[in-house]
């Protein structure tokens, strides 16, 4: 019903930048929150940033001032601009979308396949 395709991960040196993208496609009636989570080895998955349908962002404290989440509603795409990256940002980053498929009365949660971000010198 709803598919998510992520792109933009990779290897970057400390202090560098990366931009993640996640495009939602399929039979979509509406999209509510869009966000990014991450999971580092041996750790639980955590919310990094989320943006509402109205464009209001929320960030975990550890990325405030360094990461910026945005969305293009016309393209059903959410972005995560990551600046001043630190080794502790190394993780698999997952896109998360709360969307209502066409023909459905309620929204569901959808997840991307994950993209690796490695911050290392």
């Amino acid at each position: 019903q709803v598919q998510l395709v992520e792109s933009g991960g990779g290897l970057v040196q400390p202090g560098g930048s990366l931009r993640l993208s996640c495009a939602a496609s399929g039979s979509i009636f509406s999209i509510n929150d869009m966000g990014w989570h991450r999971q580092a080895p041996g750790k639980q998955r955590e919310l990094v940033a989320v943006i509402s349908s109205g464009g209001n962002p929320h960030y975990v404290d550890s990325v405030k001032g360094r990461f910026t989440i945005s969305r293009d509603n016309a393209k059903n795409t959410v972005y995560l601009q990551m600046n001043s990256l630190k080794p502790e940002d190394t993780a698999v980053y997952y896109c998360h979308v709360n969307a209502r498929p066409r023909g459905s009365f309620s929204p569901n949660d959808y997840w991307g396949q994950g993209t690796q971000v490695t911050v290392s010198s």
Side-chain angles (χ1 to χ4, degrees):
Q1 292 176 319
V2 178
Q3 296 81 40
L4 302 180
V5 177
E6 303 171 4
S7 61
L11 172 64
V12 65
Q13 292 185 342
S17 298
L18 283 175
R19 188 192 195 207
L20 305 183
S21 300
C22 173
S25 63
S27 183
I28 301 171
F29 178 79
S30 63
I31 297 178
N32 300 315
D33 290 351
M34 306 180 82
W36 294 91
H37 291 65
R38 67 186 179 187
Q39 188 166 20
K43 295 187 177 181
Q44 290 187 334
R45 189 175 298 189
E46 66 169 351
L47 173 67
V48 177
V50 62
I51 186 167
S52 68
S53 57
N56 294 314
H58 170 78
Y59 302 94
V60 67
D61 286 346
S62 60
V63 308
K64 285 181 179 178
R66 300 188 297 122
F67 291 10
T68 302
I69 189 170
S70 61
R71 62 190 285 172
D72 184 334
N73 291 330
K75 297 181 179 179
N76 290 338
T77 299
V78 61
Y79 306 95
L80 186 67
Q81 178 66 44
M82 304 184 293
N83 298 329
S84 302
L85 282 160
K86 304 176 181 179
E88 50 264 44
D89 295 318
T90 296
V92 178
Y93 284 69
Y94 297 91
C95 173
H96 168 253
V97 169
N98 182 265
R100 179 181 167 186
R102 293 188 185 279
S104 176
F105 292 105
S106 61
N108 297 312
D109 292 319
Y110 299 92
W111 293 87
Q113 79 280 5
T115 185
Q116 177 71 45
V117 171
T118 302
V119 185
S120 175
S121 55

